[in-house]
Amino acid sequence: MKELLKIKVVWRPIWIIVLIMLAMVSVYLPVFKGANQNLTDFPLIVVNEDKNFSEQIDGKKIFASIPQSQDGHSLKWMSETSEKKARQAIKENKANGALIIPANYSSQITKIHDALLSGKELPKAVEVKILLNEGGGQLVSSIAPSILQSLAASASADISGELKQELIKANKQVSPQAANLLERPITTTSSNVLGLPKDLNKGMTPFVLVLIASITGFMGTQMINGYMSKISERMRERGLALSSLTVQLTEMLLGVILMILTSSALMVVVFGFFNSSHSISVWPIWLFTILGTLTMFFMFKMLSLFFGTWGILVMFPINILGIFGSGGAVPLTGLPDFHRFVSTILPTRYIEDGLKSLLYFNGNMEAGLGTALWFLFSYLVVFIVICLSFTYRTHKKESAAQNEPSPSGIHASKAETEEQSNRVVQTSTPISRELVEKTPSTQSVKATMISLSKNQNDTDDDWYRQALLNFTVQESNDTTQNGMNDDVFRQALIMINKQN
């Protein structure tokens, strides 16, 4: 063992794996940096249906209170003209929530103002709607209502402050009922646009399916390749050598079968046993899951063909990076720039988007399903073509190498040739020995070989020459092997005599 440990190459896997693990920590740890998970360009909508603005108190107060960031999250505000359009944007997963300013906003605020100053019958507070996208995941579902409610509360506080100042100037006293309206002239009501049930597994079902698809593709590639290598080696020992083409095509076929079986089992467990909610039939989800798992398998298969025994050192970081970049565990808007860039390249992000659309958005193509299908089909075709091209190229190289005649026997010396002939005579069966004794001398055999080598167009001559060359350079002491060479040599001599 001491001598083995002195070899530098033995230590190579140690330091390579250490370096890769350190690189992975440096890449993945920033995803969880900070006490809170801050999101970037968090999409929200403001809808202003109020067309009758007054000069003093109007719907523009809310727009003046819109923050560009909150609690470390940078916000991306979008404007729509109607509640219907805002709902459609949420159904297409283009926004995480919306604040709806009603058409009677200005007139209602004016009524509250006049009623508080005159002491007349008090109107109701202005009702502002908050629409939520409950399919965005647990983090998104907790941040969106908080931001929208705080925006409405800020606008209500501004209006309340202005009303209080006017009442103070007018030296007006208000009743307890009026005081409540004065404190909260704006109220909010929240509703989920998608109408999904409450038990959504916190919106993590798509991510779990992506996780299983990625790991299955990674492990399936490695295990199928390992077992096929062992089977191929055992068959070679039994004299039944398999070509690389047969082995690789078998591995791909087994991979396809594995992905289909895994996807089917996932449907049974996720939607049968755990009864996870879904907004569309299970069949499209099953087909899309098969597409996703096949894409992951052929991606890892391609990497294994390119990198060989080093493939696992490449596939493992890509597997982890793809899981983080899917946007399932952490929204894409909460990832560092590097991970967001990688997410546009790896298939996991599109598997996540497609599953979200199928599970929560009624399979809406605009909610990410259309883009996901386009990318995944393209990836799958490219990966399969590369795998097949690489396999056939390797097969052609092996075939060309096997068809080349071995030149090893051309330079055999006369002594080596005579020694091989004597060894065969001593170890072969009586029938083989008798035939060999009746054959021409070694010199005549060589002369025959030389004459045969001049005839390049005769296929039989090539076979005789190769058989004789193999015989003359055989140095094995194995009796069985020598007996087999006797047969080859005998057949060659018979054909030579026929030709003579």
Side-chain angles (χ1 to χ4, degrees), residues 191-494:
S191 62
N192 294 327
V193 174
L194 304 178
L196 299 174
K198 294 182 179 180
D199 187 13
L200 293 176
N201 299 320
K202 298 181 179 180
M204 297 298 286
T205 302
F207 173 69
V208 172
L209 293 176
V210 169
L211 182 66
I212 298 300
S214 184
I215 293 177
T216 303
F218 171 66
M219 293 183 62
T221 303
Q222 293 299 307
M223 294 189 69
I224 290 175
N225 178 261
Y227 277 94
M228 282 301 300
S229 298
K230 290 182 179 180
I231 293 172
S232 178
E233 183 178 351
R234 291 178 181 177
M235 294 186 71
R236 190 181 300 111
E237 292 174 355
R238 298 177 181 178
L240 300 173
L242 298 176
S243 66
S244 62
L245 178 64
T246 301
V247 173
Q248 293 299 333
L249 291 179
T250 303
E251 289 184 11
M252 294 180 197
L253 176 61
L254 292 175
V256 172
I257 295 173
L258 174 62
M259 298 305 111
I260 294 176
L261 291 178
T262 301
S263 300
S264 303
L266 286 174
M267 298 301 103
V268 174
V269 174
V270 173
F271 303 112
F273 185 77
F274 289 104
N275 196 27
S276 297
S277 61
H278 49 94
S279 60
I280 200 172
S281 172
V282 174
W283 294 107
I285 302 174
W286 175 64
L287 293 174
F288 184 85
T289 305
I290 291 176
L291 173 63
T293 53
L294 285 176
T295 303
M296 297 304 299
F297 171 78
F298 278 101
M299 181 185 75
F300 289 123
K301 181 63 181 176
M302 177 188 68
L303 294 175
S304 69
L305 289 174
F306 277 141
F307 295 98
T309 55
W310 296 95
I312 191 171
L313 295 179
V314 179
M315 290 187 284
F316 183 74
I318 290 179
N319 181 47
I320 302 298
L321 190 59
I323 291 172
F324 277 103
S326 67
V330 179
L332 294 176
T333 55
L335 295 175
D337 293 337
F338 170 75
H339 293 78
R340 276 191 281 177
F341 169 75
V342 172
S343 71
T344 61
I345 301 174
L346 297 179
T348 47
R349 180 256 181 95
Y350 303 104
I351 299 175
E352 171 78 18
D353 290 346
L355 287 172
K356 275 187 177 180
S357 176
L358 290 167
L359 291 175
Y360 305 140
F361 298 94
N362 291 307
N364 194 327
M365 289 291 181
E366 298 297 327
L369 181 59
T371 303
L373 288 173
W374 191 91
F375 271 95
L376 291 179
F377 271 120
S378 301
Y379 277 138
L380 181 59
V381 171
V382 171
F383 294 155
I384 291 177
V385 169
I386 292 176
C387 289
L388 292 177
S389 300
F390 191 92
T391 299
Y392 278 104
R393 183 180 178 184
T394 304
H395 175 67
K396 287 182 178 180
K397 289 182 178 180
E398 291 182 355
S399 299
Q402 291 175 358
N403 292 332
E404 290 180 359
S406 175
S408 58
I410 296 177
H411 304 288
S413 64
K414 176 180 178 181
E416 292 173 342
T417 304
E418 292 179 349
E419 180 182 354
Q420 293 293 334
S421 300
N422 294 332
R423 185 183 305 163
V424 172
V425 171
Q426 295 173 1
T427 58
S428 61
T429 62
I431 297 176
S432 299
R433 187 181 299 112
E434 180 181 357
L435 287 172
V436 173
E437 290 174 351
K438 293 181 181 180
T439 59
S441 63
T442 303
Q443 294 296 331
S444 63
V445 170
K446 283 191 173 182
T448 304
M449 290 166 57
I450 294 172
S451 65
L452 288 172
S453 63
K454 295 179 181 179
N455 188 1
Q456 298 295 330
N457 297 325
D458 194 336
T459 305
D460 291 338
D461 287 353
D462 292 339
W463 188 87
Y464 311 145
R465 183 173 64 255
Q466 186 62 45
L468 291 172
L469 288 175
N470 291 339
F471 174 79
T472 57
V473 297
Q474 179 65 35
E475 297 180 1
S476 173
N477 292 324
D478 185 5
T479 303
T480 304
Q481 184 67 29
N482 287 331
M484 292 177 63
N485 285 334
D486 289 345
D487 294 336
V488 174
F489 186 61
R490 183 177 68 252
Q491 294 296 328
L493 291 178
I494 292 173

Side-chain angles (χ1 to χ4, degrees), residues 39-47 63 66-70 73-80 85-87 89-90 93-100 130-133 139-152 333:
L39 304 181
T40 305
D41 295 333
F42 192 78
L44 295 170
I45 295 175
V46 172
V47 176
F63 288 98
I66 289 180
Q68 297 304 312
S69 63
Q70 182 171 322
H73 309 294
S74 67
L75 309 177
K76 178 183 178 181
W77 292 97
M78 298 177 288
S79 179
E80 292 291 351
K85 291 183 178 180
R87 288 181 176 274
I90 291 176
N93 202 26
K94 295 179 179 178
N96 296 320
L99 183 71
I100 311 298
I130 293 177
L131 305 179
L132 299 175
N133 179 357
L139 185 61
V140 170
S141 299
S142 62
I143 293 175
S146 175
I147 294 174
L148 295 174
Q149 288 172 2
S150 65
L151 176 59
T333 55

